[in-house]
Amino acid sequence: QVQLVESGGGLVQAGGSLSLSCTASERAINYYTMAWFRQAPGTEREFVASINVYRRSTNYADSVTGRFTISKDNTKNTMYLQMNSLRPEDTAVYYCAQGRNPYRDSGNRIDEYAYWGQGTQVTVSS
């Protein structure tokens, strides 16, 4: 069973920065699309960012473009999300996810991802 473990969440003031990490126990991440989603109370889980298998191309939700950066270190089997210029509306539980199929890029739909972390809370105060 693949386990994804997130870390790095916390409380930060608006305008501040946080960095999240997600480490996979199995299934080397360099073969799968990796992504971040988030879910605020009372809302549906939404796509934040993804990094694809080929050419490490990245995709971002419009709401985070220019502020968040997704990256990965295959040698550590770990993915990262650097979040800058945080806003109160970024407050949510952040989840990392791994695509279903190797060597195939995934998009921004939840059903394209097979494994999920337990989530880490990010709270941005105004």
Side-chain angles (χ1 to χ4, degrees):
Q1 179 73 16
V2 175
Q3 286 190 322
L4 302 177
V5 180
E6 302 105 334
S7 62
L11 173 64
V12 65
Q13 288 188 329
S17 299
L18 279 176
S19 181
L20 306 182
S21 300
C22 171
T23 299
S25 62
E26 297 178 33
R27 297 206 330 171
I29 66 171
N30 55 313
Y31 299 138
Y32 297 87
T33 295
M34 299 295 295
W36 290 96
F37 287 74
R38 67 186 181 186
Q39 187 168 18
T43 69
E44 294 185 350
R45 193 169 297 188
E46 65 175 7
F47 172 81
V48 175
S50 64
I51 183 163
N52 285 326
V53 179
Y54 295 106
R55 296 179 294 280
R56 294 196 178 190
S57 61
T58 56
N59 296 288
Y60 297 92
D62 290 345
S63 59
V64 306
T65 297
R67 301 187 298 122
F68 290 11
T69 302
I70 189 171
S71 62
K72 63 180 180 178
D73 184 338
N74 292 334
T75 65
K76 297 180 179 179
N77 222 32
T78 298
M79 172 180 66
Y80 305 95
L81 185 69
Q82 177 64 40
M83 305 183 293
N84 299 327
S85 302
L86 283 161
R87 305 167 181 169
E89 53 264 38
D90 294 318
T91 295
V93 177
Y94 283 69
Y95 298 90
C96 67
Q98 189 176 65
R100 289 187 180 279
N101 300 304
Y103 308 109
R104 188 174 299 177
D105 290 339
S106 299
N108 60 4
R109 299 197 323 268
I110 290 174
D111 63 1
E112 295 181 273
Y113 296 87
Y115 295 99
W116 295 81
Q118 81 286 354
T120 186
Q121 177 70 47
V122 171
T123 303
V124 184
S125 63
S126 58

